Amino acid sequence: SDHLCALMNAGLMETAAAPVWGRDDQVVGVLVVGWEVSNGVAAEKADKLGMALAIVQNDSVYSTSFSTDAEREQLSQEIKVSPAKVQLKKVYAQKKATQVFELAVDGDTYWAFPATMLDAPKDDRLAYLFLASKSKGGAWQDIKWLVALFILGTILCLIVIGVLLENHFVKPIIEIEEGVLKIINGDTDYRFDVVSDEVGGLSYRINQLVNALTLQDEAPEDNEEETS
């Protein structure tokens, strides 16, 4: 334990703990594992988030995903002046996220969002500083345009499919409906002449049904159609 305390005093640590159970099902100790967050942890978390990240202690950068010394030095200077300094103080005092502000690092401008480190001890002034590049916002605009084009293409495809369905299915069915209505109203001489691969056979069978009900012979062209 003394060694662990010495390590924690030497640097900022993240820790995890698990109970150690004895043979009588009683907790006989605690296994504590700790690691220094400055050792690439910020860079690892930044890769998962898809944005830059800094871990700030008081008014200093303890760990950051920025790789060059120039970027780290400029970030350290930026967080010591307003508005970064003001927002970080609010995080330390209120233990919750605050407002977004702009922050410049190595010629690039970032949207900066400070947030409390929930697992940090209460007395430690620690915070995450999430950094989203404004220059890379163009990539997001490109994505939105691609989504818009995809939606537009889908709508056009649906319109084309709708027109095809109307020509091949809807119109022939409407013709059959109107023809049946004529027969019901007494026009027993009416016969269907619907040319459609989809419903042409249905119109022919209806013609056969009407001929059978009215005791009329099938027209020669009907027989030829059936033979074909």
Side-chain angles (χ1 to χ4, degrees), residues 172 176 191-196 198-210 222 225:
I176 293 175
R191 294 296 181 270
F192 296 97
D193 187 20
V194 177
V195 180
S196 171
E198 290 76 14
V199 297
L202 174 62
S203 63
Y204 173 71
R205 294 305 177 189
I206 295 177
N207 285 341
Q208 283 186 316
L209 176 61
V210 175
D222 287 340
E225 181 180 346

Short mmCIF file of all heavy atoms in Angstrom, two decimals, residues 172 176 191-196 198-210 222 225:
data_model
loop_
_atom_site.label_atom_id
_atom_site.label_comp_id
_atom_site.label_asym_id
_atom_site.label_seq_id
_atom_site.Cartn_x
_atom_site.Cartn_y
_atom_site.Cartn_z
N PRO A 172 -54.66 -0.85 -65.71
CA PRO A 172 -55.45 -2.01 -66.17
C PRO A 172 -56.55 -2.43 -65.19
O PRO A 172 -57.64 -2.80 -65.59
CB PRO A 172 -54.39 -3.11 -66.31
CG PRO A 172 -53.12 -2.39 -66.55
CD PRO A 172 -53.21 -1.15 -65.74
N ILE A 176 -60.60 -2.62 -65.84
CA ILE A 176 -61.44 -3.78 -65.52
C ILE A 176 -62.59 -3.38 -64.62
O ILE A 176 -63.75 -3.80 -64.81
CB ILE A 176 -60.58 -4.89 -64.87
CG1 ILE A 176 -59.59 -5.46 -65.89
CG2 ILE A 176 -61.47 -6.00 -64.30
CD1 ILE A 176 -58.63 -6.46 -65.31
N ARG A 191 -67.05 -6.16 -73.75
CA ARG A 191 -66.00 -7.12 -73.50
C ARG A 191 -64.70 -6.38 -73.20
O ARG A 191 -64.43 -5.32 -73.73
CB ARG A 191 -65.80 -8.05 -74.69
CG ARG A 191 -66.98 -8.96 -74.97
CD ARG A 191 -67.23 -9.93 -73.81
NE ARG A 191 -68.35 -10.82 -74.08
CZ ARG A 191 -69.60 -10.55 -73.76
NH1 ARG A 191 -69.90 -9.38 -73.18
NH2 ARG A 191 -70.56 -11.41 -74.03
N PHE A 192 -63.89 -7.00 -72.37
CA PHE A 192 -62.63 -6.38 -71.96
C PHE A 192 -61.57 -6.55 -73.03
O PHE A 192 -61.47 -7.59 -73.66
CB PHE A 192 -62.13 -7.00 -70.64
CG PHE A 192 -63.05 -6.75 -69.47
CD1 PHE A 192 -63.97 -7.71 -69.09
CD2 PHE A 192 -62.98 -5.57 -68.78
CE1 PHE A 192 -64.80 -7.49 -68.02
CE2 PHE A 192 -63.82 -5.34 -67.70
CZ PHE A 192 -64.74 -6.30 -67.33
N ASP A 193 -60.82 -5.51 -73.23
CA ASP A 193 -59.70 -5.55 -74.16
C ASP A 193 -58.47 -4.93 -73.47
O ASP A 193 -57.91 -3.94 -73.92
CB ASP A 193 -60.04 -4.78 -75.43
CG ASP A 193 -58.96 -4.93 -76.49
OD1 ASP A 193 -58.18 -5.90 -76.39
OD2 ASP A 193 -58.88 -4.08 -77.39
N VAL A 194 -58.13 -5.52 -72.35
CA VAL A 194 -57.02 -5.02 -71.54
C VAL A 194 -55.73 -5.71 -71.96
O VAL A 194 -55.62 -6.93 -71.87
CB VAL A 194 -57.28 -5.24 -70.03
CG1 VAL A 194 -56.09 -4.77 -69.22
CG2 VAL A 194 -58.55 -4.53 -69.61
N VAL A 195 -54.80 -4.94 -72.48
CA VAL A 195 -53.51 -5.49 -72.90
C VAL A 195 -52.51 -5.28 -71.77
O VAL A 195 -52.01 -4.18 -71.54
CB VAL A 195 -53.01 -4.80 -74.19
CG1 VAL A 195 -51.67 -5.40 -74.59
CG2 VAL A 195 -54.02 -4.95 -75.30
N SER A 196 -52.25 -6.32 -71.03
CA SER A 196 -51.32 -6.24 -69.90
C SER A 196 -50.85 -7.63 -69.54
O SER A 196 -51.66 -8.56 -69.43
CB SER A 196 -52.01 -5.59 -68.69
OG SER A 196 -51.18 -5.69 -67.55
N GLU A 198 -49.69 -8.48 -66.78
CA GLU A 198 -50.00 -8.76 -65.39
C GLU A 198 -51.48 -9.14 -65.19
O GLU A 198 -51.79 -10.05 -64.43
CB GLU A 198 -49.65 -7.55 -64.51
CG GLU A 198 -48.17 -7.30 -64.34
CD GLU A 198 -47.53 -6.66 -65.57
OE1 GLU A 198 -48.31 -6.17 -66.43
OE2 GLU A 198 -46.30 -6.65 -65.68
N VAL A 199 -52.40 -8.42 -65.81
CA VAL A 199 -53.84 -8.64 -65.58
C VAL A 199 -54.59 -8.98 -66.86
O VAL A 199 -55.81 -9.06 -66.86
CB VAL A 199 -54.48 -7.40 -64.91
CG1 VAL A 199 -53.88 -7.16 -63.55
CG2 VAL A 199 -54.33 -6.17 -65.79
N GLY A 200 -53.87 -9.17 -67.99
CA GLY A 200 -54.55 -9.52 -69.24
C GLY A 200 -55.29 -10.84 -69.14
O GLY A 200 -56.41 -11.00 -69.67
N GLY A 201 -54.69 -11.81 -68.44
CA GLY A 201 -55.36 -13.10 -68.26
C GLY A 201 -56.63 -12.97 -67.45
O GLY A 201 -57.63 -13.65 -67.73
N LEU A 202 -56.64 -12.09 -66.46
CA LEU A 202 -57.85 -11.87 -65.65
C LEU A 202 -58.98 -11.29 -66.49
O LEU A 202 -60.13 -11.73 -66.39
CB LEU A 202 -57.51 -10.92 -64.49
CG LEU A 202 -58.69 -10.47 -63.62
CD1 LEU A 202 -59.33 -11.67 -62.93
CD2 LEU A 202 -58.22 -9.44 -62.60
N SER A 203 -58.65 -10.31 -67.36
CA SER A 203 -59.69 -9.72 -68.21
C SER A 203 -60.26 -10.76 -69.17
O SER A 203 -61.46 -10.77 -69.45
CB SER A 203 -59.13 -8.52 -68.98
OG SER A 203 -58.10 -8.93 -69.86
N TYR A 204 -59.40 -11.66 -69.67
CA TYR A 204 -59.88 -12.71 -70.58
C TYR A 204 -60.84 -13.66 -69.86
O TYR A 204 -61.89 -14.05 -70.39
CB TYR A 204 -58.69 -13.48 -71.15
CG TYR A 204 -59.07 -14.68 -71.96
CD1 TYR A 204 -59.66 -14.53 -73.21
CD2 TYR A 204 -58.87 -15.97 -71.47
CE1 TYR A 204 -60.03 -15.64 -73.97
CE2 TYR A 204 -59.22 -17.07 -72.21
CZ TYR A 204 -59.80 -16.91 -73.46
OH TYR A 204 -60.18 -18.01 -74.20
N ARG A 205 -60.52 -14.04 -68.63
CA ARG A 205 -61.40 -14.95 -67.88
C ARG A 205 -62.73 -14.26 -67.55
O ARG A 205 -63.78 -14.92 -67.53
CB ARG A 205 -60.69 -15.38 -66.59
CG ARG A 205 -59.46 -16.23 -66.83
CD ARG A 205 -59.74 -17.44 -67.68
NE ARG A 205 -58.54 -18.22 -67.95
CZ ARG A 205 -58.48 -19.24 -68.80
NH1 ARG A 205 -59.57 -19.58 -69.50
NH2 ARG A 205 -57.36 -19.88 -69.00
N ILE A 206 -62.70 -12.96 -67.30
CA ILE A 206 -63.96 -12.25 -67.04
C ILE A 206 -64.81 -12.25 -68.31
O ILE A 206 -66.04 -12.41 -68.25
CB ILE A 206 -63.67 -10.82 -66.56
CG1 ILE A 206 -62.97 -10.85 -65.20
CG2 ILE A 206 -64.98 -10.03 -66.46
CD1 ILE A 206 -62.60 -9.49 -64.67
N ASN A 207 -64.15 -12.07 -69.46
CA ASN A 207 -64.90 -12.16 -70.73
C ASN A 207 -65.56 -13.52 -70.87
O ASN A 207 -66.72 -13.63 -71.30
CB ASN A 207 -63.95 -11.92 -71.90
CG ASN A 207 -63.59 -10.45 -72.06
OD1 ASN A 207 -64.29 -9.58 -71.55
ND2 ASN A 207 -62.51 -10.18 -72.77
N GLN A 208 -64.82 -14.59 -70.52
CA GLN A 208 -65.39 -15.94 -70.59
C GLN A 208 -66.59 -16.09 -69.66
O GLN A 208 -67.62 -16.69 -70.01
CB GLN A 208 -64.33 -16.98 -70.22
CG GLN A 208 -63.32 -17.26 -71.32
CD GLN A 208 -62.39 -18.39 -70.96
OE1 GLN A 208 -61.90 -18.47 -69.83
NE2 GLN A 208 -62.16 -19.29 -71.90
N LEU A 209 -66.48 -15.52 -68.45
CA LEU A 209 -67.57 -15.59 -67.48
C LEU A 209 -68.81 -14.87 -68.01
O LEU A 209 -69.94 -15.39 -67.91
CB LEU A 209 -67.13 -14.98 -66.15
CG LEU A 209 -68.18 -14.89 -65.05
CD1 LEU A 209 -68.68 -16.29 -64.68
CD2 LEU A 209 -67.62 -14.18 -63.83
N VAL A 210 -68.62 -13.69 -68.60
CA VAL A 210 -69.76 -12.94 -69.13
C VAL A 210 -70.40 -13.69 -70.28
O VAL A 210 -71.64 -13.76 -70.41
CB VAL A 210 -69.30 -11.53 -69.58
CG1 VAL A 210 -70.45 -10.79 -70.26
CG2 VAL A 210 -68.80 -10.74 -68.38
N ASP A 222 -60.86 -14.06 -79.12
CA ASP A 222 -60.67 -14.56 -77.76
C ASP A 222 -60.08 -15.96 -77.79
O ASP A 222 -59.22 -16.30 -77.00
CB ASP A 222 -61.98 -14.56 -77.01
CG ASP A 222 -62.42 -13.15 -76.62
OD1 ASP A 222 -61.55 -12.26 -76.58
OD2 ASP A 222 -63.62 -12.96 -76.37
N GLU A 225 -56.56 -15.79 -78.67
CA GLU A 225 -55.76 -15.32 -77.55
C GLU A 225 -55.50 -16.41 -76.56
O GLU A 225 -54.41 -16.57 -76.02
CB GLU A 225 -56.47 -14.14 -76.90
CG GLU A 225 -55.67 -13.56 -75.71
CD GLU A 225 -56.40 -12.38 -75.08
OE1 GLU A 225 -57.35 -11.87 -75.71
OE2 GLU A 225 -56.02 -12.01 -73.97
#
